[in-house]
Amino acid sequence: MTEIPEDHPRHDSLVTRHRIEDGVDDGITSRQGLIAQGRGEAYDYLLGEETIPSADAAERAAAAQLLTADHPVVSVNGNVAALVPDALVALAAATGADLAVNLFNRTEERVERIADHLREHGASGVLGTKADARIPGLDHERATVDSDGIYDADVVLVPLEDGDRAAALAEMGKTELVIDLNPLSRSAQAASVPIIDNVVRAVPNITAHARDLSEAENAAREECIQEFDREAALRAAEERIRGGMSGGA
Ligand code: ATP
């Protein structure tokens, strides 16, 4: 990877971009993943490349949801696997969630590569390779999941999900936690908990909240879930994007 000086004004953004490029070279990330990254960067720039307070509240609510779930699952695609493999493994450990590979442009080879990549970063059981169940309402390719993974989950964290699939998962009655930098994307709009933040910041912050909340009373986790206002979170992010860094979010 090209060395980027620590004091470069766009250091974090460039490191992230190179991780996605490496992901493509390693067969983990699809070429469409490059386009998704570009879209994300634009929104992140407008958000000020920081976790705004409403996103932090969403990340805490997401942590509470994962901790109180019967079967929490974290969906992993090629972008997320390239960007935050260690943070995904830490999140799974902190919440008891399963990691499940779930690809929009699914090929057996890419699923296996991502599962191997996660195992190299310390993941134990990685789901998503069986492909023995279908999400209703989607065409065959995009509907494929594991029966004991996303299909069975009551709470599912989907970073960078496609809008149709996010809507179909919500339709199945799952509590959906979506990380997406665009508050207007169909995925964010379909989510019970829309997290308008970069996965690079969001995943470790959900883990930090989970560690904190796992030591709290049940009532504290419930309160966190009840108090979260999805409409307000979407509005705050949109205001920040439209208003620039002087916005009130
Ligand atoms: P939708 O169908 O949900 O309306 P889309 O399928 O058109 O959206 P894509 O073109 O797949 O969306 O773009 C991927 C989405 O992922 C964009 O909304 C982008 O903001 C978001 N995204 C890309 N990179 C990141 C990242 N690192 N962190 C969070 N979100 C990201």
Side-chain angles (χ1 to χ4, degrees), residues 229-245:
D229 181 342
R230 65 179 296 285
E231 303 299 333
L234 288 168
R235 213 169 33 243
E238 191 180 339
E239 277 168 17
R240 168 65 81 106
I241 286 169
R242 290 190 190 279
M245 280 170 245

Side-chain angles (χ1 to χ4, degrees), residues 60 63-64 67 91 94-95 205-215:
R60 195 163 176 83
L67 287 170
L91 176 64
T95 59
N205 199 31
I206 298 171
T207 304
H209 281 302
R211 287 186 181 135
D212 184 40
L213 283 168
S214 65
E215 284 165 18

Side-chain angles (χ1 to χ4, degrees), residues 36 39-40 43 83 160 163 180-182 185-187 197-199:
R39 292 185 73 179
Y43 289 109
L83 290 176
L160 280 62
D180 194 316
L181 281 156
N182 177 7
S185 79
R186 289 173 300 150
S187 321
D197 200 2
N198 198 318
V199 290

Side-chain angles (χ1 to χ4, degrees), residues 162-181:
D162 155 70
D164 285 347
R165 221 160 42 172
L169 287 170
E171 196 64 28
M172 285 177 83
K174 298 183 191 302
T175 298
E176 207 172 357
L177 323 170
V178 169
I179 305 173
D180 194 316
L181 281 156

Side-chain angles (χ1 to χ4, degrees), residues 89-162:
V89 173
L91 176 64
T95 59
D98 284 325
L99 295 176
V101 182
N102 180 31
L103 303 181
F104 182 67
N105 301 295
R106 184 190 169 89
T107 65
E108 293 307 317
E109 195 190 348
R110 209 151 68 80
V111 172
E112 289 297 342
R113 278 192 191 225
I114 293 174
D116 284 346
H117 180 65
L118 291 172
R119 284 189 283 263
E120 279 162 22
H121 284 266
S124 39
V126 180
L127 305 172
T129 52
K130 281 196 285 191
D132 58 348
R134 308 250 172 276
I135 305 169
L138 295 177
D139 58 79
H140 181 276
E141 182 83 342
R142 290 188 304 157
T144 307
V145 286
D146 278 18
S147 55
D148 58 356
I150 286 176
Y151 191 84
D152 180 61
D154 56 339
V155 174
V156 56
L157 173 69
V158 279
L160 280 62
E161 184 54 284
D162 155 70

